[in-house]
Amino acid sequence: MPELYHHPLSAGSRFVRLVLAEYGETVDLTEIVPWERDEGLLVLNPAGTVPVLVDETDGPVVGAAVIGEYLSETRGARIGENSLMPSEPAERAEVRRLVSWFLDKLNDEVVDYLLTEKVFKRHAPATNGGSAPDAAAIRAARGNIRYHLSYVGYLVARRDCLAGRGLSFADLAAAAALSCADYLGEVPWEEDATAKEWYARIKSRPSFRSILADTVRGNPPVTHYADLDF
Amino acid sequence: MPELYHHPLSAGSRFVRLVLAEYGETVDLTEIVPWERDEGLLVLNPAGTVPVLVDETDGPVVGAAVIGEYLSETRGARIGENSLMPSEPAERAEVRRLVSWFLDKLNDEVVDYLLTEKVFKRHAPATNGGSAPDAAAIRAARGNIRYHLSYVGYLVARRDCLAGRGLSFADLAAAAALSCADYLGEVPWEEDATAKEWYARIKSRPSFRSILADTVRGNPPVTHYADLDF
């Protein structure tokens, strides 16, 4: 069974867990502590980041988007034509653009701020970055997420799913990133009914169940987090 | 002919120009002004970043790594088996990990600091971010590049090229990013003879010629920049 080094509130890790579940692949999860130096992880990935998937034959595969491509190439055929990655180069490019938009841009502008300020600084010892949250960083995240939510609504209003006709990596990447902010009660769903309806659809998929069962010690999710009718 | 929105000192743009040249594809270059809001660019890419490749039939393709994949899928077959992207999933994953290492991580930790402080702040009007350079940011970049250079040396000492046996996107991504710092005289080549020998090899390829001819008005390159025997 492959092993996934992850953190429950890492958007990229959640994306990979969703892809694995959609492809029907089970995985051993190894949780890292974000503020600790982990020599085992550094051997697998000199950048020291998650997710890292350790495949039994191919060894470590590093980074959310890279793992997505790898799983598509090695497991995608299992689920037939709707393999989360279209076959035409231009459509593939659009899926990849959006995966990067949500796992890089939304992550940098929203999720990273919220996690750092509301979770990591609270639990890390002072010697490893623990401190009081920075209210300005949280305000920046709250401003930024509104643009991202309205971009999701804009795309869904024009297309059935984020990148086009069918469910793709783009939907999983966006839902993974938004779900991290939602865990902390930081998605203003009332501002965009179209985006909310799309998220309710993705959230209801069986692949999402383990994400909705996540808990971080000392930071329980907000009450509506696992509610499919939020 | 496809059109590339780029900046001459953007690592991602240089990577795409190298891939295009290796595949024998000519391109129209449109240079953007990094500190100005460009409505035309925002229509093609709502993130407002370069590179964006506008293909005549497929339309805009956004982001360096995404354009690399797109060109590999649409033009890669032109140059036969050594198409810069291996065929095995594990080897492809390693190429992609390194493309992200150099175009994201090295870019964030080195190139972005140097460009912002030494070029953009100098030429932008004060209303758009122009100001005196921040010496601390330049020092950070100078510290960080040493680790990246030694990582290049480490990889090349164990492999013929960065990601394995043959030239790949990984080499082009690393050379593209390092060449931006080298333009500004900020690569301490004397610290790693193996990395320097590898860069001399990549720099000598015909695909590199247009990169070596780049100039930014008011910021000429250091004297050794275009020298193949530096």
Side-chain angles (χ1 to χ4, degrees):
Chain A
M1 196 185 296
E3 182 178 5
L4 183 69
Y5 286 74
H6 84 122
H7 184 272
L9 293 181
S10 138
S13 300
R14 286 184 164 206
F15 167 74
V16 171
R17 288 164 63 201
L18 290 172
V19 175
L20 285 163
E22 291 285 344
Y23 286 165
E25 177 83 49
T26 48
V27 65
D28 264 332
L29 293 176
T30 300
E31 187 176 331
I32 59 110
V33 180
W35 53 84
E36 280 177 9
R37 185 179 166 88
D38 183 329
E39 298 297 336
L41 178 62
L42 285 167
V43 169
L44 300 172
N45 174 17
T49 52
V50 291
V52 177
L53 182 75
V54 183
D55 181 82
E56 280 162 305
T57 46
D58 283 335
V61 182
V62 171
V66 176
I67 298 171
E69 301 274 358
Y70 171 80
L71 290 173
S72 154
E73 290 169 2
T74 56
R75 274 79 162 179
R78 288 185 187 172
I79 58 170
E81 271 187 36
N82 298 317
S83 70
L84 304 175
M85 193 60 165
S87 56
E88 286 304 309
E91 294 175 24
R92 293 164 71 83
E94 177 64 354
V95 170
R96 287 171 174 139
R97 175 182 79 84
L98 290 171
V99 167
S100 172
W101 183 288
F102 294 109
L103 296 186
D104 298 329
K105 188 172 169 66
L106 188 157
N107 192 62
D108 287 353
E109 294 172 359
V110 177
V111 180
D112 257 6
Y113 284 134
L114 295 174
L115 279 189
T116 301
E117 303 305 328
K118 296 184 80 168
V119 183
F120 299 160
K121 279 191 177 175
R122 192 166 151 196
H123 298 295
T127 43
N128 280 354
S131 67
D134 174 353
I138 295 176
R139 268 200 307 278
R142 286 178 181 158
N144 294 338
I145 198 170
R146 301 176 63 196
Y147 295 98
H148 285 284
L149 197 63
S150 101
Y151 191 45
V152 168
Y154 167 90
L155 290 172
V156 173
R158 276 152 191 82
R159 305 166 169 182
D160 182 39
C161 286
L162 283 184
R165 279 159 299 177
L167 184 83
S168 76
F169 282 169
D171 300 277
L172 302 184
L178 286 170
S179 73
C180 296
D182 197 41
Y183 182 99
L184 299 167
E186 295 284 359
V187 185
W189 294 115
E190 69 287 357
E191 290 194 10
D192 200 303
T194 313
K196 182 178 177 179
E197 178 278 324
W198 161 87
Y199 186 65
R201 242 193 301 152
I202 310 294
K203 194 178 178 178
S204 306
R205 296 182 71 81
S207 63
F208 227 82
R209 276 183 208 143
S210 91
I211 304 278
L212 298 180
D214 278 336
T215 51
V216 173
R217 208 153 57 139
N219 265 92
V222 295
T223 49
H224 73 260
Y225 171 69
D227 189 352
L228 294 182
D229 191 25
F230 55 109
Chain B
M1 196 185 297
E3 182 178 6
L4 182 70
Y5 287 74
H6 84 122
H7 184 273
L9 293 181
S10 138
S13 300
R14 286 184 163 206
F15 167 73
V16 171
R17 287 163 65 201
L18 290 172
V19 175
L20 286 162
E22 291 284 345
Y23 287 164
E25 177 84 49
T26 48
V27 67
D28 265 333
L29 293 177
T30 300
E31 186 175 333
I32 59 109
V33 181
W35 53 85
E36 280 177 10
R37 184 179 168 88
D38 183 329
E39 298 297 337
L41 178 62
L42 285 167
V43 169
L44 300 171
N45 174 17
T49 52
V50 290
V52 177
L53 181 77
V54 184
D55 182 82
E56 280 162 306
T57 46
D58 284 334
V61 182
V62 171
V66 175
I67 298 171
E69 301 273 359
Y70 171 80
L71 290 172
S72 154
E73 289 169 1
T74 57
R75 276 78 163 178
R78 288 184 187 172
I79 58 171
E81 271 187 37
N82 298 318
S83 70
L84 305 175
M85 192 59 165
S87 57
E88 287 303 309
E91 294 175 24
R92 293 165 71 84
E94 178 63 354
V95 170
R96 288 171 174 140
R97 175 182 80 85
L98 290 170
V99 167
S100 171
W101 183 287
F102 294 109
L103 296 186
D104 298 328
K105 188 173 169 68
L106 188 156
N107 192 61
D108 288 353
E109 294 173 358
V110 177
V111 179
D112 257 6
Y113 284 134
L114 295 174
L115 279 188
T116 302
E117 304 306 327
K118 296 184 81 169
V119 183
F120 300 160
K121 280 191 178 175
R122 191 166 153 195
H123 299 295
T127 44
N128 279 354
S131 67
D134 174 352
I138 295 176
R139 268 200 307 278
R142 286 178 181 158
N144 294 339
I145 199 172
R146 302 176 64 195
Y147 295 98
H148 285 286
L149 197 64
S150 100
Y151 190 45
V152 168
Y154 167 89
L155 290 172
V156 174
R158 276 152 192 81
R159 306 166 169 181
D160 182 39
C161 286
L162 281 186
R165 278 158 300 177
L167 184 83
S168 77
F169 283 170
D171 299 276
L172 302 185
L178 286 169
S179 73
C180 296
D182 196 41
Y183 182 99
L184 300 167
E186 294 284 359
V187 184
W189 293 115
E190 71 286 356
E191 290 193 10
D192 200 303
T194 312
K196 183 178 178 179
E197 179 277 325
W198 161 87
Y199 185 66
R201 244 193 300 152
I202 309 294
K203 194 177 179 179
S204 306
R205 297 183 71 81
S207 63
F208 227 82
R209 277 183 208 143
S210 90
I211 304 279
L212 297 180
D214 278 335
T215 52
V216 173
R217 206 151 59 137
N219 266 93
V222 296
T223 50
H224 73 259
Y225 169 69
D227 190 351
L228 294 182
D229 190 25
F230 55 108

